[in-house]
């Protein structure tokens, strides 16, 4: 068996990929929300406050989410909402897009990032 070693990185400059620039978001979470806050977001905010969490104002973002496999911008702008919460050193965040929740996370100085698969699991973690 013969093993051939190739230099890495390969000699010469790689050809730059010609790609269209990624579009700017239409609305960022640093801006005040443009639309009324959706009911499910308000309900989660109320639940967190009842459980003793300080909840920052819900934030809205509107932009072109990347394609999961290719990373190219989506064709239609998506609206997403986020809730950031804190309780002492604990932090939590939930993100909703359209009618579905995308992700739920908690962390603290004693706990590494933990992702929850369902709204019910996340609500239980907030207790």
């Amino acid at each position: 068996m013969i093993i051939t070693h190739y230099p890495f990185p390969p000699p010469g400059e790689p050809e730059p990929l010609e790609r269209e620039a990624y579009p700017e978001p239409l609305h960022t979470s640093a801006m005040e929300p443009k639309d009324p806050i959706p009911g499910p977001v308000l309900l989660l905010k109320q639940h967190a406050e009842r459980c003793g969490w300080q909840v920052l104002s819900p934030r809205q973002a509107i932009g072109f989410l990347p394609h999961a496999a290719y990373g190219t911008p989506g064709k239609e702008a998506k609206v997403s909402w986020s809730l950031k919460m804190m309780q002492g050193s604990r932090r939590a965040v939930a993100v909703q897009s359209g009618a579905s929740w995308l992700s739920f996370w908690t962390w603290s100085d004693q706990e590494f990032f933990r992702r929850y698969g369902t709204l019910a699991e996340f609500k239980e973690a907030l207790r």
Side-chain angles (χ1 to χ4, degrees), residues 46-124:
Q46 292 166 355
H47 173 77
E49 288 171 340
R50 279 193 308 271
C51 293
W53 290 77
Q54 178 186 355
V55 183
L56 303 177
S57 296
R59 307 309 298 173
Q60 180 186 39
I62 305 172
F64 301 88
L65 299 178
H67 185 278
Y70 306 112
T72 56
K75 296 193 186 325
E76 295 180 16
K78 302 283 184 190
V79 177
S80 63
W81 288 87
S82 65
L83 272 182
K84 294 180 183 177
M85 300 157 255
M86 56 185 143
Q87 185 183 60
S89 68
R90 295 179 69 202
R91 302 290 184 263
V93 68
V95 179
Q96 183 193 49
S97 182
S100 60
W101 290 97
L102 297 180
S103 63
F104 310 99
W105 294 87
T106 59
W107 67 96
S108 72
D109 52 1
Q110 278 97 37
E111 173 192 31
F112 195 65
F113 290 96
R114 180 164 179 198
R115 184 174 190 274
Y116 299 88
T118 66
L119 178 59
E121 290 175 353
F122 184 66
K123 282 182 166 183
E124 188 60 35

